[in-house]
Amino acid sequence: PTGQVNILKGNQLINNYSRGNRGGSVAYRVLNFRDDVYYTNNSRGFCDTLTVLSTGNFIPCNQELQSCYNVFFNTLDGTFANGYPPYAFSKLPTYVKIGALFAPLDSNGYPNKVQIEMLAAFKLAIDVINNKNDGIFDDILPSTTIIFDLEIVNGYLDAINSAQSLIDAFYYSGVKGVISGLPNEETKATHSVFSTDGNEIFQINSYASDSALVDGSTYMYKAQLVPVDSYEGAALQDLICSYFGYRKVAFISSNDIAGQNLLNEITRNSDVCVFDQLLNYVIPISQSDYSDVVNEIKDCGAKVIILFVSGSTAASILELGYQIGIFGEGYQVFTSSTAASTIISSFSNTADVLSLMTGLIFVEFGPDASLTTEACIEFLTHWKHQKYRGSSLNHGFIECDRSLDDSGNTYLYQNDNGTICTGLNFTTYDIMGSNLSPYTLFTYDAVYALASGFDKLIRSNIDINAESLRDVLLTQVNFTGASGYVEFKQSDISELYFSRGDREIGIHYKIYNFNPNVYKLNHSNSFVQAFEWNRIESVHECDHYNDCYDIIYNNINNSPVNESKPTILKTMPLIGVIVLSILFAIVVLFVGFYTIFTIYYFRNKLIKAAQPEMLICILLGVFLASGRVLIAALPITDTSCISGLWIAHMSFLFAFGGLFIKTYRVHVVINSKTFKRVVFTGRKAAGYMFIGFLCFVVILIILTVVGSPHRSYNSITISNQTIKRVRCSFKRSYIHTAVFILEAIIIFIGARLCLAVKNVPDAINESKYIALSISFILLLAILVFPIVFLLGLDPIVYQ
């Protein structure tokens, strides 16, 4: 009744396996789990489907029985699963395989909305590109379908394993490129895997922005849809140089990757400006005492300080500096967004936060700035019209969307066991994207950028690998996407590959300013937006979607801080003015007395022998010299420089000219080689003086017109403070030098004349006294001038 009975002898090769067992007329029921039956009755989910006979035949169960069901397969098309993974043997150009790295669940297993939205944007971009009938991106990969392997990442080690999984994806055929929405550390981990020999894969990052990623020699195969954190430095450089006009600054940076990359970024673009670095202090990582830092800032005199350090370090530096008289009013401080996020909470309880922080400025990446562009609005329209991917109820149970990636390994909208749904209801999003993470746009554009690179390589019949993909993306791919204009920076060995693959155009920064009025109301929210910045428009007013405030400076009149200490203008001190005025009065009295004396005794033989006409000229020269002394006591102007020049040289003409003609007259009369009577009257001497006067007038006119005497300043800068000394100078000083040489020649000839008449009788011989006067003047020139000017003494007279 049980069918044919056949007792097996067993297999002697494997220990008589199955000896004594029945080998024929044996049937087995094939049970299949069905979720629809399970939801109806939790106690039975397995149903009869087939009967397997020992002969190898399959007999379907009786479909008329309620307990019999068709076989249910857990595949998308409901058919029997292939023995190989999906697309294992799919090749270019029909298919191109890419990888996706996202973290839709946080470390505690809760949904991460930003990551979920980025994953949805990734899937939307692929669907749009693959759909060649919707009029969107139809020219990209027209004959190629993108398929993807998704890896869900949770932590650093999982990121490394996931990267290796992408290398082995699709039955070890691997992927040609990767889109990553992972955080910083996980992104750096995947790059380390994709940079190893034989496993090179190009990765585009739409979320990670760590400053370390700017190093194109370490992260060789990457592109950034979001800017790296250190690019704040470029925005700060433009803000500081172009908007505020500052050049004299002090840099204080930490000796770590973030601090040094910010410093490099803010100083590398000489087309914007070249800073006059009053101080560049790099703080070692182990340093905790910042006394040396603040003392160096004080000594260099900087008024504009840029702090690329942590928030706690910045707070300590500001507090210590305030105690020794720096920072506070009259100082402008710039810092990074990272430091600004913790600086206020890092101050001590006794810190005067308002005095220290008022006017502080930092810039921060504003990813939401592109939400108003036309391309973004078009994206948002497609975003809202996507299929509902949220959870649903099935027989009283919450059920997630169970769609898989193209590899068939990873759920797109739920965790592995289906207990947490991560799908979205796209109809809940605002048409303006106000409740959408802006990083969604970057991910969407990242997929388009990668697809554009594939398209150009396939059209050019170039093998797709990490290096060829990098080259084409950096040199040929640029477009206006949902997140704005996209273009990747090229960089070569001359720049040490700094910022290679980074995005520097089409991104926006917000400029924040510490507002004391807001701080008084809410200590935790004291920074307000003042401006916006991007590479094309530079610093500009906020658009109408933002609420911006007027900027507050740390100055009593709320004006921008001066980058230098107030200039000190050194003029004649009051004591000098008094002394020179007294000397002028004494000389005037002296000249007046001897002028009257000479005129009164004009007919006296002794006076006549001394040539009274020339005595009057000499006294006039002395009077003019006293006038020159008086002008030196007056404020220096262009007029005083010209008048002082004329009076000084005219005083020389009349004083030394009178002495010269007196000596020359004696020489002509006494040393005449003829036996004729020599007549040299006072009228003739006056004629010579008049001719000399006319010559000097012509010379001084030339000196005034060509030499162009004017007021100028001799400036020196000490500790960022300029000391300006007012003085008279010349546009062409060599003209004045020529006049001095002419006067020196006149003095030399006069000295020779004194020597020639030294033996004349004493009654008419004044050569000794004239020679003594010349010697005294030369002594002053030889001793006083070198002491004052060559030894660097500070003369009180500058004209």
Side-chain angles (χ1 to χ4, degrees), residues 22 45 50 109 249 260 639 661 670 785:
R22 181 175 180 176
L50 300 170
V249 300
Q260 293 310 295
T639 301
I661 294 173
I670 300 301
F785 285 3

Side-chain angles (χ1 to χ4, degrees), residues 233 237 251 262-270 273 275 277:
Q237 182 187 30
F251 289 111
L262 278 166
L263 182 62
N264 191 7
E265 194 69 65
I266 198 174
T267 56
R268 73 184 176 98
N269 193 347
S270 59
C273 74
F275 287 109
Q277 298 185 29

Side-chain angles (χ1 to χ4, degrees), residues 34 71 118 147 168 170 231 357 529 554 575 588 674 688:
R34 296 186 62 96
V71 177
M118 286 194 293
I147 55 177
D168 299 334
F170 297 108
Y231 195 63
M357 291 292 294
Q529 188 178 351
N554 203 350
I575 185 64
V588 169
T674 67
Y688 281 155

Side-chain angles (χ1 to χ4, degrees), residues 22 129 131 190 306 371 442 479 508 524 600 650 653 692 712:
R22 181 175 180 176
I129 294 172
N131 186 346
T190 59
I306 301 170
L371 289 173
F442 296 108
F479 59 93
H508 302 262
S524 63
Y600 186 78
M650 282 301 177
L653 168 68
S712 66

Side-chain angles (χ1 to χ4, degrees), residues 636-666:
I636 297 177
T637 62
D638 290 346
T639 301
S640 69
C641 289
I642 296 172
S643 59
L645 179 74
W646 276 71
I647 291 173
H649 289 288
M650 282 301 177
S651 70
F652 173 87
L653 168 68
F654 287 109
F656 283 91
L659 293 173
F660 184 92
I661 294 173
K662 280 168 61 66
T663 307
Y664 179 70
R665 183 181 183 184
V666 173

Side-chain angles (χ1 to χ4, degrees), residues 306-320:
I306 301 170
L307 299 175
F308 290 149
V309 294
S310 66
S312 58
T313 300
S316 298
I317 291 173
L318 291 176
E319 283 196 68
L320 285 173

Side-chain angles (χ1 to χ4, degrees), residues 579-599:
V579 170
L580 292 179
S581 299
I582 293 174
L583 288 175
F584 170 76
I586 293 173
V587 173
V588 169
L589 291 175
F590 172 82
V591 170
F593 172 77
Y594 280 102
T595 301
I596 295 172
F597 180 85
T598 302
I599 294 174

